[in-house]
């Protein structure tokens, strides 16, 4: 983004509506997508519009890869589900488009990937406002596979490298993944489904749907800054974001990862964007470099541990160890996150953003920034509650269960001998030998 006049992209913040719907059984269905879209439309009052009532600040939906739908929508053959990646590229104007496409395909080749093909994303722009239409990018879906046949996180890391390198060269991808697919734009909540024709297809199915209605606080809306992002949807602000970005910039020259390869080609970690986008960029880096999703989230959003005398010493050691490498991204913030298998939400330690959840007798889990996003009969609800400061709510669609906060913390605390590492490597200033005072007068 350029910086005309008094505008500074560093000050991009949001105050938004967020919800997710998930199937505990991990079964992809059309109903989960429809419930997600309904929840989004019921969050319309949490979003904003510009001077034109049909130009929204942003709306979007993040789902699992709808494999059956995509196979029926492309003229080329796709590998098995999980063995290919797909994402929407925001391509530039006609004169620069062919060069951008050629560059992306070259990057894919350099990273050991094969371009299976491109697909034009069908849209109906008749209902969006003049401003949204003026800045609307050309949207194409890119399909990739690994020439060596990798799947899972190994494939995720390779397509991550392609996407980051493409973005550094000027082409934005809303997502590029073998596990999730994201549709978003400078839209209102009620425009999302009619705008993206794909979302209307009965074959478009998922076991997870995260939706977001954006209110860009005192900032400019844009197509790339609509949410969700690749791994998160955020309600609130990251008020420490300038310091967080500065510390990431200070450390990034020392970043090394055997799993991600040459990290220097992926820098800077944080591009000029909103506070939410910066959080997403760091979370993605931490996760793909080898940490579980809850681990990465807890590195960035720790609970209030320093003055908690009743905390398990092993858990305190986990937080203290990671405080040496990552400062808290403090809000007030409610963060919903997913890797396409697990989906959850967490409040920062201030706990100043609302979050309500419901679990039904048929295994549907709904969490939203407020009550009433879906009309669920009370007799079908087997559990309900709210997000709490310092606690994580996590659904695992592969394990078919909700993983309780206590179990998450126990797993993180016991994953490594953090207390031993601290004892062996921490140097206290009070333990340093006295130095002879030298008078230079």
């Amino acid at each position: 983004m350029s910086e005309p006049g008094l505008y500074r992209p560093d000050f991009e913040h949001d105050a938004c509506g967020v919800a997710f719907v998930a199937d505990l059984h991990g079964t992809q269905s059309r109903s989960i997508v429809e419930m997600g879209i309904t929840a989004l439309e019921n969050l319309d009052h949490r979003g904003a519009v510009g001077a034109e009532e049909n130009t929204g600040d942003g709306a979007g939906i993040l789902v699992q890869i709808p494999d059956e739908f995509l196979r029926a929508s492309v003229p080329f053959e796709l590998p098995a589900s999980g063995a290919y990646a797909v994402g929407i590229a925001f391509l530039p104007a006609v004169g620069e488009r062919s060069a951008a496409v050629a560059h992306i395909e070259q990057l894919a080749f350099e990273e050991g990937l094969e371009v299976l093909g491109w697909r034009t994303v069908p849209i109906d722009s008749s209902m969006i406002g003049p401003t949204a239409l003026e800045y609307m990018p050309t949207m194409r879906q890119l399909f990739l596979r690994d020439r060596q046949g990798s799947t899972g996180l190994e494939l995720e890391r390779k397509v991550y490298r392609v996407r980051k390198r493409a973005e550094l060269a000027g082409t934005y991808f809303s997502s590029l993944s073998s596990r999730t697919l994201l549709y978003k734009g400078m839209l209102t909540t009620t425009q999302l489904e009619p705008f993206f024709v794909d979302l209307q297809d009965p074959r478009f199915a998922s076991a997870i749907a995260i939706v977001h209605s954006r209110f860009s606080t005192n900032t400019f809306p844009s197509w790339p800054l609509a949410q969700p992002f690749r791994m998160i949807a955020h309600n609130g602000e990251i008020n420490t974001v300038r310091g967080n970005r500065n510390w990431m910039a200070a450390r990034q020259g020392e970043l090394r990862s055997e799993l991600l390869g040459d990290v220097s080609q992926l820098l800077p970690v944080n591009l000029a964007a909103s506070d939410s986008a910066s959080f997403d960029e760091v979370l993605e880096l931490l996760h793909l470099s080898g940490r579980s999703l809850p681990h990465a989230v807890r590195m960035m959003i720790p609970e209030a541990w320093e003055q908690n005398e009743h905390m398990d010493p092993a858990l305190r050691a986990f937080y203290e160890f990671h405080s040496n490498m990552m400062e808290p991204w403090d809000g007030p913030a409610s963060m919903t996150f997913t890797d396409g298998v697990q989906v959850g939400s967490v409040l920062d330690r201030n706990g100043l953003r609302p979050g309500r959840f419901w679990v039904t007798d048929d295994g549907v889990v709904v969490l939203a920034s407020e009550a009433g996003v879906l009309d669920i009969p009370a007799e079908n609800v087997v559990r309900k509650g709210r997000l709490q400061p310092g606690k994580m709510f996590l659904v695992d669609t592969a394990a078919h269960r909700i993983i309780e906060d206590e179990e998450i913390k126990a797993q993180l605390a016991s994953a490594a001998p953090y207390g031993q590492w601290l004892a062996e490597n921490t140097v206290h200033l009070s333990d340093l030998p006295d130095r002879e005072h030298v008078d230079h007068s």
Side-chain angles (χ1 to χ4, degrees), residues 359-372:
V359 184
T360 69
D361 53 9
D362 59 351
V364 174
V365 183
V366 181
L367 186 145
S369 52
E370 59 199 82

Side-chain angles (χ1 to χ4, degrees), residues 335-354:
M335 201 68 68
T336 294
F337 53 87
T338 189
D339 60 1
V341 178
Q342 294 182 328
V343 58
S345 289
V346 66
L347 293 182
D348 76 315
R349 52 190 176 177
N350 296 299
L352 298 177
R353 284 293 180 269

Side-chain angles (χ1 to χ4, degrees), residues 132-283:
L133 191 62
E134 179 182 358
Y135 293 100
M136 182 179 70
T138 297
M139 286 174 273
R140 300 282 189 273
Q141 280 177 335
L142 170 64
F143 291 78
L144 300 170
R145 65 174 290 274
D146 184 8
R147 295 200 296 268
Q148 297 181 347
S150 68
T151 60
L153 280 173
E154 185 178 352
L155 178 57
E156 287 291 295
R157 293 179 180 113
K158 291 186 176 183
V159 297
Y160 168 75
R161 289 186 56 86
V162 172
R163 199 203 78 225
K164 284 291 288 188
R165 294 179 66 188
E167 288 177 350
L168 291 170
T171 301
Y172 179 82
F173 278 85
S174 59
S175 66
L176 187 58
S177 171
S178 63
R179 299 187 292 189
T180 58
L181 183 59
L182 174 58
Y183 289 78
K184 69 173 187 176
M186 201 168 153
L187 308 165
T188 67
T189 60
T190 57
Q191 290 173 344
L192 183 74
E193 184 181 25
F195 179 86
F196 287 111
V197 178
D198 289 355
L199 299 179
Q200 305 166 32
D201 195 292
R203 296 166 298 181
F204 194 98
S206 176
I208 294 173
I210 296 179
V211 295
H212 188 277
S213 172
R214 187 176 190 228
F215 190 112
S216 53
T217 313
N218 299 321
T219 57
F220 295 153
S222 71
W223 286 83
L225 292 185
Q227 294 191 44
F229 289 109
R230 288 80 183 227
M231 299 193 77
I232 65 107
H234 173 213
N235 172 29
E237 300 177 347
I238 303 295
N239 285 318
T240 58
V241 68
R242 176 171 290 186
N244 296 130
R245 288 169 175 157
N246 287 342
W247 277 114
M248 285 304 302
R251 295 190 184 103
Q252 63 188 16
E254 301 299 319
L255 292 178
R256 303 289 186 274
S257 174
E258 294 181 2
L259 296 174
L260 288 175
D262 184 3
V263 179
S264 66
Q265 296 177 311
L266 312 177
L267 302 178
V269 175
N270 290 138
L271 304 174
S274 67
D275 56 343
S276 308
S278 293
F279 185 100
D280 184 74
E281 289 166 335
V282 176
L283 180 66

Side-chain angles (χ1 to χ4, degrees), residues 355-359 365-368 383-387 393 402:
R356 302 279 183 176
F357 68 85
W358 304 262
V359 184
V365 183
V366 181
L367 186 145
R383 179 181 175 185
K384 61 182 178 180
R386 64 180 179 87
L387 292 179
F393 182 81
I402 296 172

